[in-house]
Amino acid sequence: MKWMAIHGSSRKNGNTEKLTHYVLEDIPATHLYLREYSIRPIVDQRHDPDGFDPVDDDYDRLIQQVMEHDAIVFSTPLYWYGMSGHMKNFIDRWSQSLRDPRYDFKEAMRGKQAYVVITGGENARLFALPLVQQFDLIFRFMSMDFKGYLIGYGGKPDGILHDERALEEAKQLNRQLKQIHAG
């Protein structure tokens, strides 16, 4: 099984990345840090007869890498009660991939295992639940297999290191993923 983590944080080594690395510890995985790439916002051409115009950025290369993996961890901080802008731009562009004649994007994503890791500030475990639901709906639309999520508290840099509950849940999830990986 090929694993990938898609990191949506704009901050290097932030709380969400640290928690995601705990989840994937000792599991060979490709780590995609969206902040390191140019992904332009979508121009909605879903209903144009000719579809989407080509966009000169890194998105096409990245989405092809995503399609090559079997299990994906979507890692994002809770920004204004939603996913980060980097993650949102990336997922918004999926509309373009759905109309791309080079491949059947929805079929390529069908059955991929999906996990979500979120960190946020005060009451993150409650306030991040609508974001978990948003990911669930995205995965349902794409016929992906939503396997689980993890929410941690990390209001300030390294705050996640003090969230014992999230760290223990990350260890438990890591054990489960290692069994799946060994599968």
Side-chain angles (χ1 to χ4, degrees):
M1 178 165 294
K2 290 180 69 175
W3 292 84
M4 172 177 268
I6 301 174
H7 297 273
S9 180
S10 61
R11 183 170 23 138
K12 186 176 183 177
N13 296 319
N15 290 310
T16 313
E17 280 182 26
K18 287 179 180 171
L19 189 58
T20 302
H21 283 283
Y22 278 112
V23 167
L24 291 171
E25 187 174 10
D26 297 325
I27 297 172
T30 301
H31 290 266
L32 192 66
Y33 300 92
L34 295 176
R35 69 175 171 274
E36 295 176 357
Y37 299 94
S38 171
I39 302 172
R40 302 194 53 153
I42 193 164
V43 175
D44 187 358
Q45 295 175 299
R46 287 175 294 160
H47 305 291
D48 289 5
D50 296 326
F52 288 85
D53 293 329
V55 179
D56 185 22
D57 68 0
D58 297 319
Y59 173 78
D60 281 342
R61 181 168 48 105
L62 299 180
I63 202 64
Q64 294 205 12
Q65 286 181 28
V66 170
M67 290 188 291
E68 294 170 2
H69 289 80
D70 307 303
I72 304 166
V73 177
F74 292 81
S75 170
T76 181
L78 185 65
Y79 285 165
W80 288 102
Y81 311 103
M83 66 182 74
S84 71
H86 292 296
M87 186 70 74
K88 185 73 168 98
N89 275 344
F90 183 71
I91 291 177
D92 279 351
R93 291 284 295 278
W94 287 16
S95 293
Q96 183 177 348
S97 295
L98 287 166
R99 294 272 321 259
D100 194 319
R102 295 175 293 174
Y103 42 75
D104 184 345
F105 180 62
K106 195 165 184 180
E107 186 58 33
M109 298 300 284
R110 179 182 307 281
K112 290 190 185 303
Q113 293 184 11
Y115 300 83
V116 175
V117 176
I118 303 167
T119 63
E122 185 178 345
N123 293 317
R125 284 185 180 81
L126 174 64
F127 294 158
L129 291 176
L131 178 54
V132 171
Q133 185 178 31
Q134 181 181 15
F135 273 111
D136 180 42
L137 293 170
I138 292 165
F139 301 150
R140 284 179 194 217
F141 179 82
M142 295 301 296
S143 300
M144 297 171 70
D145 187 7
F146 187 18
K147 302 297 273 185
Y149 66 92
L150 175 58
I151 301 171
Y153 172 77
K156 294 188 180 197
D158 291 331
I160 194 63
L161 302 178
H162 305 288
D163 184 345
E164 293 178 19
R165 177 178 167 188
L167 295 175
E168 180 56 36
E169 290 173 353
K171 287 179 188 175
Q172 291 173 10
L173 183 54
N174 175 263
R175 285 191 291 273
Q176 292 171 8
L177 299 186
K178 282 179 180 173
Q179 289 177 347
I180 293 168
H181 182 71

